[in-house]
């Protein structure tokens, strides 16, 4: 299971879709994690342990239209 997405790990990529699936352990997204990526939708709704999204995680993502985050109870 993925617990962290490192800084700029998916930046400047022509990836259009990433499925994190059932990954409740994902807790942190590093600085610029998706910077300048081509994705239009990022679904993190099942990442129930998500506690931090670092600065500029989605910087210059001109195609990004929706980011789904987990619901808090």
């Amino acid at each position: 299971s993925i617990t962290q997405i490192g800084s700029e790990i998916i930046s400047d990529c022509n990836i259009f879709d990433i499925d994190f699936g059932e990954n409740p352990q994902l807790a942190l997204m590093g600085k610029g994690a998706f910077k300048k990526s081509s994705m239009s939708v990022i679904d993190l709704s099942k990442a129930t342990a998500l506690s931090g999204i670092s600065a500029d995680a989605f910087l210059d993502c001109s195609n990004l239209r929706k980011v789904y985050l987990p619901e808090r109870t």
Side-chain angles (χ1 to χ4, degrees):
S1 289
I2 298 171
T3 59
Q4 179 174 303
I5 298 173
S7 296
E8 298 190 22
I9 195 76
I10 307 173
S11 66
D12 293 312
C13 289
N14 286 327
I15 297 172
F16 295 98
D17 182 31
I18 292 180
D19 183 0
F20 291 100
E22 298 281 337
N23 190 7
Q25 291 81 24
L26 180 61
L28 180 64
M29 291 174 40
K31 182 177 180 180
F34 296 99
K35 183 175 80 174
K36 295 183 182 179
S37 71
S38 299
M39 292 183 283
S40 61
V41 176
I42 298 173
D43 188 352
L44 300 165
S45 62
K46 293 188 172 63
T48 54
L50 188 62
S51 61
I53 298 176
S54 298
D56 302 327
F58 305 107
L59 181 69
D60 293 331
C61 292
S62 59
N63 292 329
L64 188 60
R65 300 294 178 252
K66 293 183 181 182
V67 177
Y68 294 99
L69 299 173
E71 289 186 27
R72 297 290 178 203
T73 57

